[in-house]
Amino acid sequence: MSEFNLIKKYFTRLTRQTSLGVGDDAALISISNGMDLAISADMLVAGTHFFADADAYLLGWKSLAVNISDMAAMGANPKWATLAIALPEVNEAWLAEFSCGFFACATDFNVDLIGGDTTRGPLTISVQIMGEVPTGQAIKRSGAKVGDDIWVSGNLGSAALGLAHLQGKIVLENDALQASIHALHKPAPRAALGLALRGIANSCIDVSDGLLADLGHILQASNIGAALALETLPCHDFLRIHLNKPAFQQYVLAGGDDYELCFTAPKSKRKTIYSISHQLNLPLTIIGETHASTGLEVTYLKQKIKITKKGFNHFD
Amino acid sequence: MSEFNLIKKYFTRLTRQTSLGVGDDAALISISNGMDLAISADMLVAGTHFFADADAYLLGWKSLAVNISDMAAMGANPKWATLAIALPEVNEAWLAEFSCGFFACATDFNVDLIGGDTTRGPLTISVQIMGEVPTGQAIKRSGAKVGDDIWVSGNLGSAALGLAHLQGKIVLENDALQASIHALHKPAPRAALGLALRGIANSCIDVSDGLLADLGHILQASNIGAALALETLPCHDFLRIHLNKPAFQQYVLAGGDDYELCFTAPKSKRKTIYSISHQLNLPLTIIGETHASTGLEVTYLKQKIKITKKGFNHFD
């Protein structure tokens, strides 16, 4: 099967908001008046980001989901994506599953797949996502102010826990196992939350490498510091009962792959944010506060704790 | 060196037409009024698209150039790019050269690098290019009309000839060698020509897989056929004197990697097109004509010739 037939069969579907989709030298889109275009790209490599024998459907889902998460972090409405993929061979069963998962996510989040590339090589997936945000309303990493509350959505650490189980480092059962594996394989990007935070959050980032690493980017870009109380971090009960152990602290603070939003906002916005939490049926938790002196301090039951690894770094 | 420092050191430069560049969860751009955004993506894999030991500077140049070529094929003005790259290791000398070549091309064509990703893996380069084209003026593959002239810019076959030399299949010398290697390693995308063809060409494509394959896309999308006379195809003298041999015919018709534009236009536009050729100091050659019956016929000195391979296909 040629790459053209492959694209036609597995990666071409009707679009909802695109002038010209897959099939020409480029796609064409029209940006709404008063909107900026937000653009983000991610590359996932077999052996680095996922196991080579990962479930193809879930991989397809996650490839797009992690990019939608970057849109959420900017307060942008995700609308279009391109997909460039290198395949070691044409495995139609695999492609069918992968594209199903990808389009399941695209449908859920109203994203059109508008272009990309298909080539031969070690399994590598490169997605670019594009979304709209009103000019001036994008939520940047550099906007955090001294005295802001630091918030995080959902739970942290579950995906890392799931990965540890699959690697044989720990043994999970029942609900903890199910929740962790689901968090690892099928993260739900917080797109609606991102939109709701426009004009409310001063800064925002999605937690992908790990809370400390990602919050660290906000602090660095905004030139401020923060103090976190570990016991306030939202996490699955299984993690909570083990939170006195450094290994489990590591999952929550630096496990990564959470795809929750970490954002800062003025204290005056608390009521509004709790209202958003209620409307979206999504837990939003205050985990700390920003302060003027730079640096990130983490305590557990008022004892300062030392973190060895802030988060995932490809070239460490 | 962490991936963040790597991005900062090698892939972050001042932008000229970008609201928010590298460094946040997404980049932000503003599209001019009355313009559509054209978007194209390409993935290059070591061992498939380039030799693993390819010159890093030239690879950087070509990674962007081949994408700008897709913008030219739409009549779009290239303005922004993202770069996602997987590296087997951090080799600073290689990165310095690669980024130099990439930015040399970006500077020449006034393209801002606005984002991307850096990760560990087998050397894979994924570039997405974005450009502006007035709404309704994009030159599509599907617009060719019966009785159009078929044109091509520059020369065909030189890059394929250069590759054959490097693979030891033929021996080139002097000017033929220099021109062929240059064509292979440092193609010049026809961006200015693409802009000039707005409102003039009915259809357009850039010749990347090979003339027959790429022209074939225009014919299929437009539901028409064409007849080409091989002796009219523009090519380097060295190819021309061997054009009676099937192997050399193959280079011109199906060698690929040319990055010239192949377009169709009404005969009434000939004078205008020759004027464009003169203004841009770029040869533009009529190589055939479209007709109603589908199919692509190639003759050499009025004898029909049989082509075994139309162009590059990854999964043949």
Side-chain angles (χ1 to χ4, degrees), chain B residues 31-48:
Chain B
I31 312 303
S32 313
N33 276 341
M35 294 282 191
D36 280 347
L37 188 69
I39 301 143
S40 185
D42 255 342
M43 182 177 262
L44 306 179
V45 182
T48 300

Side-chain angles (χ1 to χ4, degrees), chain A residues 122-166:
Chain A
L123 181 55
T124 306
I125 302 160
S126 183
V127 175
Q128 170 149 323
I129 187 95
M130 288 153 284
E132 288 179 332
V133 59
T135 302
Q137 289 194 35
I139 312 168
K140 300 175 190 171
R141 294 177 181 184
S142 54
K145 301 284 180 286
V146 171
D148 274 357
D149 285 326
I150 304 172
W151 296 77
V152 79
S153 63
N155 274 343
L156 297 171
S158 295
L161 201 65
L163 181 61
H165 172 91
L166 291 176

Side-chain angles (χ1 to χ4, degrees), chain A:
Chain A
M1 172 177 281
S2 77
E3 75 221 52
F4 306 108
N5 290 336
L6 199 154
I7 290 169
K8 205 166 174 179
K9 190 170 179 183
Y10 296 109
F11 296 118
T12 305
R13 291 203 190 173
L14 286 178
T15 52
R16 285 157 286 193
Q17 53 210 352
T18 299
S19 309
L20 182 68
V22 172
D24 212 306
D25 287 284
L28 295 171
I29 63 175
S30 186
I31 312 303
S32 314
N33 275 341
M35 295 283 193
D36 280 346
L37 189 70
I39 299 145
S40 185
D42 256 342
M43 182 177 263
L44 306 179
V45 182
T48 301
H49 299 91
F50 57 92
F51 300 113
D53 61 351
D55 178 270
Y57 178 96
L58 293 173
L59 184 59
W61 172 280
K62 195 170 175 179
S63 301
L64 183 55
V66 303
N67 281 276
I68 291 172
S69 190
D70 280 315
M71 292 289 99
M74 299 297 285
N77 179 26
K79 291 182 80 168
W80 305 279
T82 61
L83 167 67
I85 185 165
L87 303 162
E89 53 169 358
V90 177
N91 178 336
E92 291 213 52
W94 189 95
L95 279 164
E97 288 289 306
F98 179 87
S99 68
C100 265
F102 190 96
F103 280 110
C105 186
T107 303
D108 273 12
F109 291 92
N110 200 26
V111 171
D112 284 348
L113 178 62
I114 63 173
D117 194 15
T118 314
T119 186
R120 185 187 284 279
L123 181 55
T124 306
I125 302 160
S126 183
V127 175
Q128 170 149 323
I129 187 95
M130 288 153 284
E132 288 179 332
V133 59
T135 302
Q137 289 194 35
I139 312 168
K140 300 175 190 171
R141 294 177 181 184
S142 54
K145 301 284 180 286
V146 171
D148 274 357
D149 285 326
I150 304 172
W151 296 77
V152 79
S153 63
N155 274 343
L156 297 171
S158 295
L161 201 65
L163 181 61
H165 172 91
L166 291 176
Q167 290 172 328
K169 292 178 181 172
I170 54 171
V171 178
L172 298 174
E173 286 170 343
N174 307 324
D175 173 55
L177 174 62
Q178 193 184 27
S180 303
I181 298 300
H182 184 86
L184 176 66
H185 287 152
K186 210 166 183 248
R190 303 302 186 191
L193 176 60
L195 299 188
L197 289 176
R198 288 175 184 171
I200 293 167
N202 282 336
S203 67
C204 189
I205 193 166
D206 71 321
V207 184
S208 52
D209 290 338
L211 176 68
L212 295 189
D214 291 314
L215 174 58
H217 291 314
I218 285 183
L219 301 180
Q220 190 173 33
S222 304
N223 198 28
I224 53 177
L228 299 185
L230 179 54
E231 63 273 14
T232 66
L233 268 60
C235 58
H236 191 278
D237 287 343
F238 181 83
L239 277 164
R240 186 162 301 290
I241 61 181
H242 290 284
L243 219 48
N244 56 328
K245 305 183 185 81
F248 288 79
Q249 292 171 354
Q250 191 76 12
Y251 292 135
V252 175
L253 290 168
D257 240 7
D258 302 283
Y259 299 104
E260 297 293 348
L261 294 185
C262 175
F263 57 97
T264 78
K267 290 184 170 52
S268 58
K269 299 289 186 183
R270 281 187 185 181
K271 194 171 168 193
T272 307
I273 294 170
Y274 283 125
S275 171
I276 291 171
S277 171
H278 179 75
Q279 280 166 39
L280 297 181
N281 193 25
L282 171 63
L284 298 175
T285 311
I286 295 174
I287 63 170
E289 188 181 50
T290 58
H291 52 60
S293 48
T294 57
L296 175 51
E297 186 183 270
V298 185
T299 56
Y300 179 59
L301 303 177
K302 297 200 191 311
Q303 297 290 317
K304 205 163 153 185
I305 60 177
K306 185 174 150 74
I307 304 299
T308 45
K309 200 164 134 81
K310 278 195 174 172
F312 190 73
N313 183 331
H314 284 281
F315 298 104
D316 271 344

Side-chain angles (χ1 to χ4, degrees), chain B residues 158-223:
Chain B
S158 296
L161 202 66
L163 181 62
H165 172 90
L166 292 176
Q167 290 172 329
K169 291 178 180 172
I170 53 171
V171 178
L172 298 173
E173 287 172 341
N174 307 326
D175 173 56
L177 174 63
Q178 194 184 26
S180 302
I181 298 301
H182 184 85
L184 176 65
H185 286 153
K186 210 165 182 249
R190 302 303 186 190
L193 176 60
L195 298 188
L197 289 176
R198 288 176 185 173
I200 293 168
N202 281 337
S203 67
C204 190
I205 194 167
D206 70 320
V207 184
S208 53
D209 292 336
L211 175 69
L212 294 188
D214 291 314
L215 175 59
H217 291 313
I218 285 182
L219 301 180
Q220 189 172 34
S222 304
N223 199 27

